[in-house]
Amino acid sequence: MPIAPIATVDTSVHYTVRHFTDEDGLPQNSVKAIVPDRNGFLWLATENGLTRFDGSYFLNFSSDNVPGLKSSRIARLYPNDTAIVAETDIGELLTVTESTVKDIGKELSGYKYQRYKDIENDYYPIRGWPDDLAARFSKQRPVVMPHGTESYFAAWHDTISFVKKGRVEYRIIQSQLDPLRLFVCGDRLFYLSRDGHITGWEKDKPVKVSLTGDLLSDAAFSKCKIELYWNLAAHQVFIYTDNRCYLLEPGKGKRIHSSMVLRDFNFYQSYITSIYYDQLNSRVFLGSSTKGLYIGTRQQFTARKSDIAGSEVFYAQAPFPGNAVVTGVGLVFNQKGKHRWLPLSLKESPLENYTLARDKEGRYWGKNGTTLVAVSGDFSRVLHKIELPFLISQVYADQAGNLWVGGKYPGLYYIRTADPGLALQSLPAAVYDVTYIKEGKPGILWVGTGKGLYRVHLPSGHTDTIKGLEQGNVRSIYIPKYGEVWITTYNRGVFLYHNERLAALPQDRQRYMATTHCITEDDHGYFWLTTNKGLFRINRQDAIDFADGKQRDLYYYYFGKDQGFNTNEFNGGCEPCSIEYDDGDISLPSLDGLVQFTPSAIRMEMPDKGIYIDWAEHNLKPAAASSQFSLPNNFQSFRFHISSPYFGDPRNLQFYYCLEAEENPEEQIWLPVSSDRTITFSTLPSGDYRIRIRKLKGFGDDQYTEKVIAVCVQKAFYEKGWFRLAVLIALICLVVLFYKIRIRRIREKNRQLELNVMSRTRELEETMNILQESDEQLRKQSFMHKRLLAAITHDIKTPLKFLLRVNKDEPSSGMLQEKEVKTVTYDSLYRMHHLVDNLIHYMRISFFTGEFSEEIVDIGRLVEEKMEIFRPVSISKGIHIVNNIPAGMKVIINKQLLAVVLHNLLDNAVKYTARGGVKISGEKDERMLTIHLLDTGFGMPPEVRDWINNTENDGMGNLSNAGIGLILVKELLPLIKGRLFAYPGIDGGTSVSLQLRINGL
């Protein structure tokens, strides 16, 4: 069958253009000039300030944030060998050093002739091409083009003068001179004629210059549709033709080489006025007078597609003779991207896209549902169709000539492709839902499934389960050598099974690698990993070292759609998942074309520039950008913005930071910097800190770029030495004060306790007194009861018994006479009467607790009253009672108590006197009154006298001979403040003296 013709392919270079305006952070949409600095930043001259661009963010320097700057309109950028100098429209000069505006002045250190003075008959220094003012001034005065710091070319009419240090060294005569077509390239002056020819000069001698490079093949250049662009500050010259731009560089000999830097971009529609080209990264920057900034980057990848709509989705590929690849539908792409359709593809394709294997006989094997299909090597006919009992998922041809087939149901099938019969055989391996098959060392087959990875031992079919991937959906398996198995999974990332240990590679920051379809290794030791959101490149040895714990971080380089893909979504779930051409080129399936490239030609723009602080503020107040900050103790917020010049894909530039205290630098927690590249802290304890900011700058171990910021949080007043000393003194004072207060409180408590003790003691004493009084009362009552009992027994019971006996009406001999009976009866009743009276007085006094009233008592009269009571008895006994107390002898005393005392003393005197008399007398001095009772009775026993004379005896002493009358007297004496003394009488009897105080005191 005829083979379809080879289709033409587009081999031209393509570019990705990004556009930035004021909506993206550009301060104003007029970009007049562009120049890089030594650190990699790009500086833009705008109508609203001098702007620094790091690839993602614009940092503007204008009158709003530059102290002393009056105008923000940047007129031009000067060529300078040491620093960037910008001039405003009013002549202010902004000097850029260390990637920031450091100085504002009026004088240029070099290129002083470039200052425009606007004086009549003076020259006009051009700002570069194009320059609208130069076209007008070139007709009025010389136009100056810079050559060096102190040298320049001045062109006017048909003459060009070379001036150095203010002196003309030579002149060039050029007829029909158009100054707007002159330019300096590599310190030499050139002229671009309207027909496209370039003329150069060696001093004043013209030299024909040969043009080489890409410009010669431009049809527009041959038609002289050209325009000159000259970037004075960057020392670059460009030629623009019909939608293409070329860089001019001095070549070897008398040549100028042209290189295309951009195509398919209309300068006129975008009002481009300034150009800068980054040769290292093939990137061009275009400044527009009204539309902002454009960045064009050369694409490095090529997406191959067919000429049939709807066939751009690719999966499995297989090698095809002639250094080409073929897909399951019979579409062949060669290394240069030309494609053709094979014969079977002209009909309905017998194969599905997801698996394609080429055996050693050159046949291609694929699937169609449950059917295993083999087609010829030229895709001209179907050779075999073999039905299997399950839905086929993958087909794989190993090095031994076996074709392996896996599906949804347990087990593997295989065919020995060298066997003419192509008999289908079964291997009872414990695998099902097969997603990928890969041969390991001889006798080992690695099988990925929807739920894990298995190692199958041939020919036994014994299966080992790889622990850690039991729930992993395996997308592909790559085995560069025995013992090193790389696995990609769906939603779980990439794994390495190495030295019988499974290790997971870290995820990228966006987690794009969570679903990795395929790993393809190039000839330089790099892995290419396809995902649903772009392509990654990593160093294989770095990945191994990371898995073995020898490396802390793993660097991924990311390629996105702007590098030439039609889509970021690559395809997986197919086998094989990628193909390498014989010369090392790689072909990857995607959702929109086959992405093909030469790995050695791929340029990686590493984020290896320094880290810079753009601005800082604390408590919302601006602070000078620095590597050292001193913050107040009570700051509420501190934040700063960082940048690093990088114009590649921003996903390759990732910052991390950690905060270290000087006291404990080993404690590190690295956190990702937010997407706006602002780091914020809210309050920190006082002390010295280091904020470490780092980024991975490339492949290898410890490939970091780091910036360290020292932060000193000032001590609060209460943390300073003087305050601590004051606090110490205050504490000492407080301790002393507390001690004194404590002592005072203790003393007060002790005093209170003493008072309480005294009060309690007093209460106890009172209680004791009460108890003693009660005891005394009880004792007295007990004594009284004894005395009453004795008195009643002796003085009442005995007389009563006697009275009963003498008055008994029974005659007997020896009976008393009637008169005697009466006398004895009277005497007994008399005594009982007075005894009862004494007992009543005694009991009253014993229970009387109040005070006794006192009065003036006439002693003689009181004694006389008492004598009248005893007179009948004394007469009957023949006793004479004589009262010798003088009349008018008085005393202040309780009359009743004194009467009881006298009554009992007189009673005792009469009672114990048989015959004789009782004499009562009294004497008185200034203080005392003494009453003497002298009887002639039996006399008082000595022990009774001693008992009476003992002043400490209160009448309660244990004296059985004393009657109740004497006891009553002894008890009453203290109440009347009297004293009683007893003496033996002179002629017998007893003398008793009662002493009383006259005034009762």
Side-chain angles (χ1 to χ4, degrees), residues 119-156:
I119 301 175
E120 190 176 357
N121 299 325
D122 194 8
Y123 58 83
Y124 173 75
I126 68 169
R127 294 178 291 186
W129 304 132
D131 187 340
D132 297 337
L133 294 178
R136 177 167 60 88
F137 280 113
S138 63
K139 299 176 182 179
Q140 303 173 3
R141 61 187 71 177
V143 176
V144 168
M145 289 158 284
H147 173 266
T149 303
E150 297 181 348
S151 58
Y152 58 88
F153 295 96
W156 197 27

Side-chain angles (χ1 to χ4, degrees), residues 232-362:
L232 289 183
H235 305 288
Q236 290 182 337
V237 180
F238 303 88
I239 287 181
Y240 174 72
T241 62
D242 187 12
N243 294 341
R244 297 188 180 188
C245 181
Y246 300 86
L247 173 68
L248 300 184
E249 298 175 284
K252 295 181 180 180
K254 300 173 183 179
R255 296 180 180 178
I256 286 184
H257 183 73
S258 62
S259 303
M260 186 173 65
V261 297
L262 187 64
R263 60 173 291 177
D264 301 327
F265 189 86
N266 193 316
F267 279 25
Y268 302 126
Q269 290 181 356
S270 300
Y271 301 98
I272 301 302
T273 58
S274 58
I275 307 174
Y276 168 70
Y277 181 62
D278 178 7
Q279 290 180 281
L280 180 63
N281 298 297
S282 301
R283 183 174 291 113
V284 62
F285 300 88
L286 308 174
S288 170
S289 61
T290 59
K291 295 187 178 182
L293 177 69
Y294 295 87
I295 302 178
T297 303
R298 186 171 182 172
Q299 296 178 349
Q300 303 186 86
F301 295 85
T302 303
R304 311 296 189 188
K305 297 175 64 173
S306 68
D307 53 358
I308 299 178
S311 62
E312 67 276 3
V313 180
F314 293 92
Y315 286 93
Q317 309 165 74
F320 195 80
N323 195 25
V325 296
V326 63
T327 67
V329 296
L331 181 61
V332 176
F333 288 91
N334 67 9
Q335 181 188 8
K336 295 182 179 180
K338 295 182 179 180
H339 70 273
R340 58 187 173 125
W341 294 92
L342 298 179
L344 281 179
S345 63
L346 301 177
K347 303 177 182 180
E348 184 178 356
S349 176
L351 302 178
E352 296 178 3
N353 278 334
Y354 295 98
T355 184
L356 187 63
R358 187 183 186 208
D359 62 19
K360 290 188 174 182
E361 284 70 31

Side-chain angles (χ1 to χ4, degrees), residues 563-576:
Q563 291 289 328
F565 317 148
N566 292 329
T567 177
N568 277 335
E569 186 171 351
F570 288 84
N571 273 333
C574 55
E575 187 171 4

Side-chain angles (χ1 to χ4, degrees), residues 442-735:
I444 297 295
L445 199 67
W446 293 85
V447 180
T449 70
K451 289 188 177 181
L453 176 67
Y454 300 90
R455 179 170 50 196
V456 180
H457 298 266
L458 304 176
S460 66
H462 174 73
T463 303
D464 297 330
T465 301
I466 305 303
K467 293 183 178 180
L469 283 174
E470 290 83 358
Q471 299 300 319
N473 187 339
V474 177
R475 301 291 280 172
S476 70
I477 303 170
Y478 174 65
I479 306 176
K481 64 178 183 180
Y482 300 143
E484 183 182 330
V485 181
W486 298 86
I487 309 104
T488 67
T489 65
Y490 200 94
N491 285 336
R492 295 190 62 188
V494 181
F495 294 84
L496 169 62
Y497 188 74
H498 181 54
N499 295 329
E500 299 298 321
R501 185 176 66 89
L502 185 70
L505 298 189
Q507 293 285 342
D508 61 291
R509 190 163 177 177
Q510 291 79 22
R511 294 188 58 83
Y512 291 168
M513 288 177 56
T515 299
T516 301
H517 300 306
C518 185
I519 296 177
T520 307
E521 186 177 6
D522 61 25
D523 297 334
H524 303 281
Y526 289 95
F527 282 169
W528 296 85
L529 287 74
T530 58
T531 72
N532 282 337
K533 296 195 176 176
L535 179 65
F536 288 88
R537 190 181 193 184
I538 68 172
N539 184 280
R540 173 190 168 192
Q541 189 59 48
D542 287 353
I544 294 174
D545 291 343
F546 178 86
D548 291 342
K550 299 177 182 178
Q551 188 166 313
R552 290 185 297 174
D553 295 289
L554 186 59
Y555 181 73
Y556 300 103
Y557 192 92
Y558 177 81
F559 297 92
K561 181 180 177 181
D562 58 349
Q563 291 289 328
F565 317 148
N566 292 329
T567 177
N568 277 335
E569 186 171 351
F570 288 84
N571 273 333
C574 55
E575 187 171 4
C577 56
S578 68
I579 286 293
E580 186 175 359
Y581 286 94
D582 295 340
D583 60 356
D585 286 5
I586 295 175
S587 178
L588 304 172
S590 81
L591 204 63
D592 191 9
L594 286 177
V595 176
Q596 298 183 343
F597 59 97
T598 302
S600 59
I602 299 300
R603 179 190 68 258
M604 291 185 293
E605 187 176 354
M606 294 299 179
D608 53 1
K609 301 296 189 298
I611 301 173
Y612 300 87
I613 307 299
D614 293 340
W615 52 263
E617 64 179 21
H618 67 82
N619 294 342
L620 302 179
K621 295 180 180 179
S626 174
S627 59
Q628 294 182 343
F629 293 93
S630 179
L631 302 177
N633 181 266
N634 59 345
F635 78 93
Q636 298 299 315
S637 67
F638 169 62
R639 64 175 186 153
F640 56 91
H641 187 275
I642 63 172
S643 65
S644 183
Y646 185 72
F647 296 90
D649 195 298
R651 281 161 286 209
N652 291 320
L653 180 63
Q654 297 179 5
F655 296 95
Y656 295 85
Y657 74 97
C658 76
L659 179 68
E660 290 181 348
E662 290 289 348
E663 299 176 354
N664 189 14
E666 296 182 358
E667 186 176 348
Q668 297 179 357
I669 300 177
W670 289 93
L671 302 173
V673 177
S674 59
S675 59
D676 63 357
R677 297 183 186 175
T678 300
I679 299 175
T680 303
F681 294 94
S682 59
T683 71
L684 288 172
S686 62
D688 295 325
Y689 299 89
R690 291 191 306 170
I691 302 174
R692 296 175 58 188
I693 308 164
R694 66 165 47 167
K695 63 174 181 175
L696 278 171
K697 63 181 181 181
F699 301 107
D701 187 22
D702 291 332
Q703 293 296 308
Y704 297 109
T705 298
E706 187 168 293
K707 177 79 172 180
V708 179
I709 300 174
V711 176
C712 176
V713 180
Q714 299 173 4
K715 292 182 178 180
F717 71 91
Y718 51 82
E719 296 177 306
K720 295 181 179 179
W722 65 265
F723 181 82
R724 292 182 176 179
L725 180 60
V727 169
L728 179 60
I729 295 173
L731 285 176
I732 294 174
C733 295
L734 286 175
V735 169

